[in-house]
Amino acid sequence: MGFRKALSILTISAALALVITGCTNDKPAPSSSPTPAAGNSESATNTAEEGGDARLEALGLDSNLKFKETRKITVEVYDRGNDGGTKPEDNFYTQYIKDGMLRDHNVEVTFVPVPRWTEGEVINNLLAGNQAPDVSITYSYPTIQTYANMGGVLDLAPILEENKDLFPDMFDYLTETNIYWDQDPNTGTLWALEARLNVLNRINTFVREDWLKKLGLEAPTTLQEFEDMLIAFRDNASTLLGADADKMIPFSTSFDVGWRADHLTASFVPNDITDKDIYINGFDDRNFLLPNYKEGIRTLNKWYNEGLVWKDFSLYPAGDTTEDNLMKVGYVGAFIHNWDYPYRNGEDSIHASLQRLVGPDAAYVAIEPFANDAGVYKKFLSGPVDRKIFFPATNKEPIASLLYINWISKLEHRIFLQFGEEGVTHEKLPDGSLKTIAATGEKIMNSPANIDYTITSNGLDLGDPELTVKSIANGYAGVDSKYIEIAHKITTNEGRVGKNVNVGEIKAENGQGQALKEKRDTILNKAVVAPVDKFDEVYDSGMKDYLNSGGQAIIDERKAAWEALFGDKTMLD
């Protein structure tokens, strides 16, 4: 029996659901886990009544969408290995979720930690071993597709078709756009839901504002000015660092060159690149295959050989804190990273550490120095999608799992998880916006705005766009809001938002995601540190291997799929 047919039966027959049952727990939520505002029970009851008692009875639900017998599900959560953080699977916020799901749906939730920086590799291994959490997340759709083709992922299409009315908050928040973003146009299968990216903020280029002032420099607005600034940092190390002059790092990056050089490399891509070319060559999420990308890496190679780039950048793996520590003590002049990176993590942020260790004027400020061939500060931005939420075939509780997704999508739950308790981890300002308070102890958030728990949502959303923007600017304890406002403005300025080109499965991508990612990182690391006269040889040989190892097959199949669907069209509406 096919998975689609099996799941259709699953949703209407408790006997075939293979439920995992336990003892009903009716005890109230503890005081440390506040009960969210009331107001959804009536709508849930109405929804249930509209769906029909017989269907709810078959699913084991009462009229309030609460299971009559306790169901159990496991949910993936990223482990970021934060110094001073809490256990990602067991803390104040996980307890809030557990208590709420047990209270509202009689579902017992267990969180399963997965290392954030190696999540692609780990989720592969968990799927291969039939041990993936019931509610799994990943940034790698090819990984999902690979295991779906082997029967290892549930098709959500028939379940949602028959039970859409049970999940009103999920549909209201994600909308059908995100829910069906990945639906195969040929087969109708739906292997994953796309989380909502509320703010398209992605990358920024940062520079030490106090160093610019000390050397009498203006913030660079061109590539040449940026390079001249790095040279000035290098040549004035004694002025800027005194006895620590030998520790000067004009520009820092990491082993993930593709991410960390994004604004630089994007500036080398022709401004008139078509949607077709972006789709065909854009399967790598670092834009590695876009035209002229190589020249951006050549620039980084030149800087490295001139002593302008941290010489040890490639030695430290994902999650290592060495580079952050070098920034915190004041040795790094500039870098490219996540749009708000220096301001994250409260008292442990790069910004706060700089001001403690170096002085009150020490700070990183976002700048915009990399224009493309048309003079445009082009940024390649994501579509309104983020992590992919999917259920492995070992999930025997798809309805309970979808009720979890629905619960986590409710506005009051998202706001609580993003901001915590009023007067403890945030305050409400007179204009209605919220301002975070640096948390300590059990109420520390391990990820920005707890995005590891608000898995359908990345980025603040208070249900009011104006209050949301104000709250974003307020949301960095101890950081002057001007830095956030500058960073927020620059990161999407002149951006090109990604479009959903859904042509169906690209079979050549199956099983290639992690392998090609690792090859890409290796190529870029080797190319940056190569002698200038060896750069082309190193880069070109690495690219040849990448293409021969599956990259070219993906390009060819994507090109054929585009032309089959869109013909000669090169731009989408």
Side-chain angles (χ1 to χ4, degrees):
M1 179 183 295
F3 274 97
R4 184 181 178 95
K5 183 176 180 182
L7 285 172
S8 296
I9 296 173
L10 178 65
T11 60
I12 62 173
S13 174
L16 296 181
L18 300 177
V19 295
I20 305 173
T21 59
C23 298
T24 301
N25 185 343
D26 294 322
K27 67 180 180 181
S31 58
S32 62
S33 181
T35 301
N40 286 319
S41 59
E42 183 177 349
S43 62
T45 302
N46 292 338
T47 297
E49 290 173 351
E50 292 169 4
D53 291 341
R55 177 166 57 106
L56 295 183
E57 185 71 25
L59 294 172
L61 292 165
D62 66 17
S63 61
N64 291 312
L65 303 186
K66 188 170 184 177
F67 285 102
K68 297 176 182 179
E69 295 185 3
T70 304
R71 304 298 173 92
K72 298 180 181 182
I73 63 171
T74 54
V75 177
E76 178 183 351
V77 62
Y78 285 147
D79 182 353
R80 296 175 182 267
N82 294 344
D83 291 338
T86 59
K87 293 179 66 174
E89 72 277 21
D90 183 18
N91 57 51
F92 174 75
Y93 301 102
T94 59
Q95 195 61 47
Y96 169 81
I97 296 170
K98 291 178 181 180
D99 292 342
M101 280 297 294
L102 199 60
R103 177 191 64 240
D104 296 343
H105 297 298
N106 198 16
V107 173
E108 186 177 306
V109 177
T110 299
F111 287 94
V112 179
V114 169
R116 167 65 186 94
W117 311 116
T118 53
E119 64 96 0
E121 177 182 345
V122 173
I123 201 67
N124 261 292
N125 292 336
L126 290 173
L127 283 164
N130 292 320
Q131 296 178 321
D134 295 322
V135 178
S136 288
I137 54 176
T138 182
Y139 284 95
S140 173
Y141 188 78
T143 295
I144 299 172
Q145 184 69 68
T146 296
Y147 284 92
N149 289 345
M150 295 189 290
V153 178
L154 292 185
D155 178 9
L156 297 176
I159 305 176
L160 294 180
E161 180 181 349
E162 296 167 10
N163 301 287
K164 175 180 178 179
D165 58 315
L166 303 185
F167 319 113
D169 298 281
M170 181 182 79
F171 272 88
D172 286 347
Y173 185 61
L174 292 181
T175 75
E176 295 205 358
T177 296
N178 281 52
I179 287 174
Y180 292 105
W181 185 277
D182 294 316
Q183 186 167 38
D184 191 300
N186 301 311
T187 65
T189 52
L190 180 65
W191 304 121
L193 312 176
E194 291 281 351
R196 176 171 164 177
L197 188 60
N198 293 310
V199 182
L200 297 183
N201 297 4
R202 188 169 180 264
I203 298 286
N204 264 323
T205 304
F206 297 96
V207 62
R208 281 284 293 274
E209 182 182 46
D210 52 318
W211 283 13
L212 292 177
K213 292 177 181 178
K214 198 165 188 177
L215 297 179
L217 300 174
E218 296 293 328
T221 59
T222 68
L223 174 62
Q224 187 59 57
E225 289 177 1
F226 187 84
E227 181 176 311
D228 292 343
M229 178 196 72
L230 297 183
I231 293 171
F233 289 167
R234 180 195 65 191
D235 294 348
N236 290 279
S238 295
T239 299
L240 297 171
L241 291 176
D244 290 325
D246 62 327
K247 297 181 176 64
M248 162 62 70
I249 300 173
F251 183 82
S252 187
T253 189
S254 78
F255 80 97
D256 189 358
V257 173
W259 182 256
R260 295 290 305 280
D262 180 83
H263 277 187
L264 173 65
T265 53
S267 71
F268 284 87
V269 177
N271 191 62
D272 63 357
I273 186 173
T274 65
D275 290 340
K276 178 180 180 180
D277 283 339
I278 289 176
Y279 171 71
I280 291 172
N281 298 291
F283 56 89
D284 177 85
D285 63 359
R286 301 313 194 234
N287 297 320
F288 177 51
L289 297 170
L290 295 191
N292 222 35
Y293 183 96
K294 175 183 176 183
E295 298 311 306
I297 302 301
R298 187 191 301 278
T299 299
L300 204 55
N301 168 262
K302 172 190 172 187
W303 291 350
Y304 183 87
N305 282 283
E306 292 178 357
L308 301 177
V309 177
W310 182 32
K311 63 182 178 62
D312 295 331
F313 77 88
S314 64
L315 302 182
Y316 297 94
D320 187 273
T321 60
T322 300
E323 185 191 15
D324 281 11
N325 292 335
L326 292 170
M327 295 174 185
K328 289 177 179 180
V329 296
Y331 298 152
V332 176
F335 64 95
I336 300 170
H337 214 310
N338 297 341
W339 81 274
D340 60 348
Y341 195 74
Y343 316 121
R344 295 179 175 184
N345 300 328
E347 288 303 306
D348 192 44
S349 70
I350 291 168
H351 180 88
S353 299
L354 259 182
Q355 299 210 325
R356 279 196 308 270
L357 299 172
V358 179
D361 294 329
Y364 285 103
V365 64
I367 61 171
E368 199 166 28
F370 305 122
N372 65 16
D373 58 342
V376 177
Y377 293 99
K378 187 70 70 184
K379 289 91 175 173
F380 291 98
L381 305 176
S382 169
V385 297
D386 189 59
R387 294 153 291 183
K388 296 87 176 73
I389 304 166
F390 69 100
F391 300 167
T394 49
N395 181 334
K396 306 306 178 186
E397 296 288 354
I399 297 297
S401 299
L402 283 166
L403 285 172
Y404 178 89
I405 302 301
N406 188 76
W407 193 93
I408 215 76
S409 299
K410 291 177 184 286
L411 180 62
E412 66 266 31
H413 298 155
R414 288 188 283 109
I415 290 178
F416 181 83
L417 289 169
Q418 289 182 334
F419 288 97
E421 292 181 307
E422 185 172 357
V424 180
T425 55
H426 79 271
E427 60 178 313
K428 190 171 185 178
L429 301 184
D431 63 3
S433 64
L434 305 184
K435 182 178 181 179
T436 58
I437 300 171
T440 57
E442 65 174 356
K443 294 174 184 177
I444 286 175
M445 296 184 184
N446 292 320
S447 56
N450 263 337
I451 60 171
D452 294 342
Y453 302 113
T454 62
I455 59 174
T456 56
S457 177
N458 188 345
L460 296 185
D461 176 21
L462 278 74
D464 180 311
E466 183 177 349
L467 290 181
T468 297
V469 171
K470 289 180 179 179
S471 298
I472 288 173
N474 295 338
Y476 298 82
V479 180
D480 189 322
S481 62
K482 73 175 184 180
Y483 291 110
I484 309 303
E485 291 167 3
I486 292 170
H488 181 67
K489 179 180 179 180
I490 288 177
T491 187
T492 56
N493 182 44
E494 301 184 330
R496 183 164 174 169
V497 178
K499 298 177 181 178
N500 186 15
V501 183
N502 193 346
V503 298
E505 179 187 359
I506 302 298
K507 296 184 183 298
E509 294 184 17
N510 293 342
Q512 292 287 1
Q514 187 66 21
L516 289 180
K517 171 186 176 296
E518 291 174 359
K519 282 185 177 292
R520 176 204 67 211
D521 289 345
T522 299
I523 293 165
L524 295 179
N525 277 267
K526 289 183 176 180
V528 171
V529 304
V532 171
D533 62 352
K534 297 291 185 182
F535 173 79
D536 285 303
E537 177 184 337
V538 171
Y539 193 98
D540 293 348
S541 64
M543 179 61 77
K544 182 178 180 180
D545 178 54
Y546 181 96
L547 294 174
N548 289 340
S549 299
Q552 187 63 54
I554 296 173
I555 291 171
D556 294 343
E557 187 174 347
R558 281 189 164 223
K559 181 175 184 292
W562 174 285
E563 292 174 351
L565 190 61
F566 301 114
D568 295 334
K569 195 172 184 178
T570 60
M571 298 294 290
L572 300 179
D573 299 330

